[in-house]
Amino acid sequence: MMTNYKRGLLAGIPIALGYLSVSFTFGIIAISYGMTWWEATLISMTTITSAGQFSGIKTMQLPGLWADMLISQLTINVRYSFMSIALSQKLDKKFSGIWRWILGFTVTDEIFAVAVTEEKITRSFFAGLSTLPYLGWALGTLLGALLGNILPASVMSALGLALYGMFVAIVVPVMKKSTPVIFAVVLAALLSIAFTYVPVLKAVSPGIAISICAIVSSAVVAIIKPVEGDET
């Protein structure tokens, strides 16, 4: 058991380092939106969803938009349900019951990508894989939130670009291998620009705008270039 846990810890180190830098940015942005350091840290400790958190705190600045936040968070985070279903097919027999509830909380894109390569996922390996990324995400947020009260506005603005760098690092490698992905990204970007500058569209709340951009761009690409399956 300890061998698998240590193996999971080692596999989680690169993820933890990446989360440390990105959550540092989240902490800074949360402070700039008027949150306290403990509120920002609590969000990261209870909600490990980078894009969802960044979108959520932005929507929280507009009181009363609870439905908008619900829709945007469902749109952004529904992928974790599909990841969990895929992982459930590879869990060993001891990885059941309450353990699925506890460790399912830590499923993220990067943790999924590592775990799914295992022939059989043990609960000790997955626990080890999740430990450092979780701590890195919470610690990075705490550090960013604390330093957000100290660093000058120019430095905070520069560090805020790390979020966009993270998305570029995730999307660009996939775009190089897939033309449909390029089309989806470009279409989503154009829609986002429209919701930012077009007089009628810019009145739409941020949460709804994000959901529309994601759903429309993915739906259009799915219709134009559907994934070819095996014919049986």
Side-chain angles (χ1 to χ4, degrees):
M1 181 178 292
M2 285 305 298
T3 300
N4 279 328
Y5 182 77
K6 290 179 180 178
R7 192 165 60 86
L9 278 177
L10 292 175
I13 291 176
I15 300 175
L17 293 176
Y19 283 2
L20 187 68
S21 60
V22 175
S23 61
F24 186 92
T25 304
F26 172 76
I28 290 177
I29 293 178
I31 289 297
S32 70
Y33 280 172
M35 292 186 174
T36 62
W37 65 268
W38 67 266
E39 288 174 331
T41 306
L42 183 62
I43 289 174
S44 282
M45 292 179 68
T46 56
T47 313
I48 316 172
T49 165
S50 56
Q53 288 181 218
F54 282 101
S55 171
I57 60 173
K58 185 176 181 180
T59 308
M60 287 168 65
Q61 305 310 303
L62 305 173
L65 298 180
W66 305 115
D68 293 16
M69 180 177 291
L70 175 62
I71 293 172
S72 63
Q73 292 302 309
L74 284 174
T75 303
I76 293 171
N77 298 320
V78 70
R79 69 187 189 279
Y80 295 128
S81 298
F82 299 112
M83 292 179 190
S84 298
I85 292 173
L87 290 177
S88 69
Q89 309 304 307
K90 307 190 75 173
L91 304 182
D92 72 355
K93 294 181 179 179
K94 293 183 179 180
F95 200 156
S96 60
I98 190 64
W99 287 105
R100 294 196 180 194
W101 287 84
I102 295 174
L103 297 177
F105 167 71
T106 63
V107 173
T108 63
D109 301 292
E110 294 77 15
I111 289 177
F112 167 79
V114 174
V116 79
T117 61
E118 292 285 299
E119 183 175 343
K120 207 67 175 177
I121 304 173
T122 64
R123 67 186 185 190
S124 54
F125 172 80
F126 198 86
L129 178 62
S130 303
T131 299
L132 294 181
Y134 176 77
L135 294 176
W137 187 254
L139 178 60
T141 301
L142 175 61
L143 294 176
L146 293 176
L147 292 177
N149 291 320
I150 301 173
L151 297 176
S154 59
V155 176
M156 290 174 58
S157 178
L159 289 173
L161 294 175
L163 171 64
Y164 304 102
M166 179 194 72
F167 287 126
V168 169
I170 293 174
V171 174
V172 170
V174 183
M175 291 175 64
K176 292 180 178 179
K177 302 176 182 178
S178 175
T179 301
V181 173
I182 295 177
F183 184 78
V185 171
V186 172
L187 179 57
L190 292 175
L191 289 172
S192 180
I193 292 173
F195 278 106
T196 303
Y197 296 106
V198 175
V200 177
L201 295 179
K202 69 180 183 181
V204 178
S205 64
I208 297 297
I210 291 173
S211 299
I212 293 175
C213 291
I215 294 172
V216 171
S217 58
S218 58
V220 169
V221 174
I223 294 172
I224 296 176
K225 189 66 175 179
V227 177
E228 297 180 1
D230 295 332
E231 296 184 0
T232 55

